[in-house]
Structure formats: structure tokens, C-alpha cells
């Protein structure tokens, strides 16, 4: 990295730590007030190693803030019917305030049907069509965790986002599309770039806010970034560098020194995702018990 690297590193890890501390205080206060403990159920189907690591981290952090964690590990050959039965039980269980089915699911399962079988008011991933629709129409929604974390960091860095040009690279249901909706709700002028977009570098250069979520190591080069832009790198790519395993983002970080600010990988967006999952679980708990619900955004 050269000495001209002037971009501020956005400390997602520190931000997430502070958010989790506040959530732990809220959990404690809510337990005293209601006599109830908020609970999160996580369902993992199959043995995907990366998913196993994520689910383990969610379980530990849920317990660490004082909430109940219910992890259901099901075999890879679990039938659609058996999974639907479990979701029906979790929907009906008052001790379970949030439900998350870890993705990707094994190929024989229908992901959309599974997600849409979750009670939308317990859908802490915000993937249910009702929550996607609520977000798109400006109604109270449970919002997908990764884009919610990105938005919190953007607002912390920039304050009012109104009128800014935002470019989201990637159009996934998990990150790209909800990120674009959140930025639109903040009155940004939003473009979404994807694999069929013509001249992605030129579009990126128009961005005051550039959010990249494509899963391609260091795809976004330094000269795609407008001087003074704020860059959010959602990518977590495992790579070999000079024979050593490492993790890089979707942005060539060392070339981004002329940005105003950028999230590093690791230590940027990643830690915010689980913190926002816990925040969504508390939001769901409050709504289910008609307690006042400050908007997490
Ligand atoms: N797999 C990768 N990211 C996510 C996520 O945010 N939620 C779920 N349920 N699965 C994922």
C-alpha cells in the first residue's frame, strides 16, 4: 500500500461491537420488563462447511447478548415436507421470536417456498416476499441483515444520503436488491450494475456511494472509484496469495486510497451482519409484544 492511501477505513468490527453492547443492554431491560427471553431459531440443512461456521457464530453471539438460541441441524436429505413441518412448529412457538433458514439449501429443496413458509413477523432475514414488498413500498419491514449493516455504516459516515448517486454492483436477493431499496428509501439516485450491464467501470465512476456485492476477488479496480466516494465492500473471498491462504473483498483495496472511506475485508461489513441479525430479532420480539420499536436504521 502506498503512502498516498488517504481513505478512512470504516471500522465495521468496532461499530458491530458497540451495536452488540447496546443490544445486550436492551435484552436485559426487556427481560426485566416482560419476564421473557427473546429467542432466535436457526435451521441448517446439510453439511456445507461455510454455512456450519456461520451458524456456529450466530449461535454463540445470540447467547452472548443474553438471548435464547435454538439451532436445528438437519441432514442433507431432509424432505421439503419435514422442513415445512419444523417451520410450522417454530412459527407457532411463542419462545421463538426470530427464524432463520441458512442458505444455500440443498438443491432438492425449493428455497422460495421454504422462505415464504416462515411467519413474516419472525423472518429476521427479511427474505419473505411480504418483507421484500414492505421494504419496497416504504412500510415497516424486517430488513435483510447485510444491507442493513451497510446502510448503518453509510449513515454514520455521511449523515443524510439524500440526492447522492449510489451504485450497487450485484443484484442478489440477499444483498444487491434490498441494498438498492434501502438507498432509494434514503432518497439516493440508485443504479444497480450486474453481469449484463454495459460499461460497469464507467457507471461506478458516477457513484458517491459504491456498494459491491458480487463475490469476485478484487473485481472493482481503483480507477472505477470516483475520488471522494464512500465504498462498501461486501465481498468475502478466500484466495491463495504467494502460497498463503487469505481473504480479500470484491474491491482492490490497495488501489482505493483516493476514496473518502472504504470498508476493509476482513473487519468491515462482515461483523455487522450478525449484529444486525440480533437487532432484527429484538425488533421482531418488540413487535410481537407490542413494545415500542425504534427503527434499527
Ligand atoms: N447465506 C449467506 N448469507 C446469508 C444470510 O444473510 N442469511 C441466510 N439465511 N443465509 C445466508
Amino acid at each position: 500500500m502506498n503512502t498516498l492511501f488517504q481513505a478512512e477505513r470504516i471500522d465495521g468490527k468496532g461499530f458491530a461491537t458497540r451495536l452488540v453492547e447496546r443490544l445486550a443492554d436492551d435484552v436485559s431491560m426487556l427481560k426485566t420488563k416482560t419476564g421473557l427471553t427473546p429467542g432466535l431459531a436457526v435451521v441448517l440443512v446439510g453439511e456445507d462447511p461455510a454455512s456450519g461456521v456461520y451458524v456456529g457464530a450466530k449461535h454463540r453471539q445470540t447467547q452472548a447478548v443474553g438471548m435464547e438460541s435454538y439451532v436445528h441441524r438437519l441432514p442433507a436429505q431432509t424432505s421439503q415436507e419435514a422442513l415445512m413441518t419444523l417451520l410450522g412448529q417454530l412459527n407457532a412457538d411463542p419462545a421463538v421470536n426470530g427464524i432463520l433458514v441458512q442458505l444455500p439449501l440443498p438443491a432438492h429443496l425449493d428455497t422460495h417456498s421454504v422462505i415464504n413458509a416462515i411467519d413474516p413477523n419472525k423472518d429476521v432475514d427479511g427474505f419473505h416476499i411480504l418483507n421484500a414488498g414492505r421494504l419496497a413500498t416504504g412500510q415497516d419491514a424486517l430488513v435483510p441483515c447485510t444491507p442493513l449493516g451497510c446502510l448503518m455504516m453509510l449513515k454514520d459516515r455521511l449523515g443524510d444520503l439524500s440526492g447522492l448517486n449510489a451504485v450497487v454492483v450485484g443484484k442478489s436477493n440477499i444483498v444487491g436488491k434490498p441494498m438498492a431499496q434501502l438507498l432509494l428509501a434514503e432518497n439516493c439516485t440508485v443504479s444497480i450494475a450486474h453481469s449484463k450491464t454495459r460499461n460497469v467501470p464507467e457507471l461506478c465512476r458516477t457513484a458517491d456511494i459504491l456498494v459491491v456485492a458480487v463475490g469476485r476477488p478484487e473485481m472493482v479496480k481503483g480507477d472505477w472509484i470516483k475520488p471522494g466516494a464512500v465504498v462498501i465492500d461486501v465481498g468475502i473471498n478466500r484466495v491463495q496469495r504467494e502460497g498463503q491462504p487469505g481473504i480479500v473483498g470484491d474491491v482492490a483495496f490497495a488501489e482505493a486510497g483516493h476514496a473518502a472511506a472504504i470498508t476493509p475485508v476482513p473487519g468491515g461489513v462482515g461483523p455487522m451482519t450478525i449484529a444486525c441479525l440480533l437487532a432484527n430479532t429484538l425488533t421482531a420480539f418488540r413487535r410481537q409484544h407490542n413494545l415500542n420499536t425504534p427503527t434499527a436504521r
Side-chain angles (χ1 to χ4, degrees):
M1 212 164 300
N2 63 42
T3 50
L4 293 175
F5 194 94
Q6 289 173 339
E8 177 201 329
R9 289 166 181 73
I10 299 175
D11 179 14
K13 197 161 173 231
F15 201 110
T17 302
R18 292 190 295 279
L19 176 55
V20 166
E21 281 168 7
R22 286 203 302 279
L23 293 171
D25 289 345
D26 287 355
V27 170
S28 158
M29 183 266 293
L30 286 167
K31 278 182 176 172
T32 309
K33 187 168 172 176
T34 64
L36 301 169
T37 302
L40 171 65
V42 175
V43 180
L44 173 63
V45 186
E47 279 94 40
D48 179 69
S51 291
V53 171
Y54 290 135
V55 168
K58 287 168 185 174
H59 173 63
R60 281 191 302 280
Q61 292 199 36
T62 303
Q63 289 185 325
V65 292
M67 297 201 279
E68 284 297 343
S69 168
Y70 309 96
V71 177
H72 296 263
R73 291 176 196 271
L74 308 180
Q77 62 277 17
T78 297
S79 68
Q80 180 93 12
E81 198 187 5
L83 186 51
M84 292 297 196
T85 301
L86 172 61
L87 291 175
Q89 288 162 357
L90 297 174
N91 285 342
D93 184 346
V96 172
N97 305 107
I99 302 170
L100 177 151
V101 177
Q102 186 66 30
L103 302 178
L105 287 169
H108 68 281
L109 296 170
D110 175 2
T111 301
H112 289 309
S113 306
V114 169
I115 288 170
N116 291 330
I118 297 170
D119 177 342
N121 296 317
K122 295 189 176 185
D123 167 39
V124 285
D125 257 332
F127 294 164
H128 191 289
I129 42 169
L130 210 69
N131 281 313
R134 284 175 181 158
L135 174 60
T137 52
Q139 303 174 62
D140 265 347
L142 286 164
V143 174
C145 305
T146 300
L148 179 57
C150 295
L151 184 72
M152 285 180 185
M153 291 189 286
L154 283 167
K155 288 176 78 167
D156 182 65
R157 181 65 180 66
L158 289 166
D160 184 10
L161 309 185
S162 185
L164 296 177
N165 283 345
V167 175
V168 179
V169 187
K171 65 173 180 79
S172 71
N173 291 336
I174 295 182
V175 184
K177 287 180 198 163
M179 186 77 247
Q181 290 292 355
L182 283 168
L183 291 164
L184 187 58
E186 297 295 329
N187 297 314
C188 292
T189 302
V190 184
S191 307
I192 306 178
H194 49 78
S195 58
K196 300 286 188 283
T197 299
R198 294 186 200 136
N199 208 338
V200 178
E202 189 176 277
L203 181 62
C204 289
R205 279 190 286 271
T206 67
D208 304 308
I209 293 170
L210 181 61
V211 182
V212 191
V214 285
R216 286 170 172 257
E218 301 184 329
M219 185 187 89
V220 172
K221 308 300 177 200
D223 67 355
W224 300 23
I225 299 170
K226 175 161 110 171
V230 176
V231 182
I232 304 289
D233 187 351
V234 182
I236 300 177
N237 305 292
R238 281 161 225 284
V239 292
Q240 291 283 333
R241 285 283 148 90
E242 290 153 15
Q244 299 293 318
I247 293 181
V248 300
D250 292 345
V251 179
F253 186 87
E255 299 175 15
H258 57 291
I262 179 168
T263 54
V265 179
V269 172
M272 284 298 285
T273 296
I274 296 184
C276 287
L277 171 65
L278 304 176
N280 276 351
T281 305
L282 269 198
T283 301
F285 175 88
R286 284 193 169 103
R287 288 188 185 155
Q288 286 157 31
H289 294 284
N290 295 317
L291 301 163
N292 101 37
T293 44
T295 308
R297 289 174 248 165

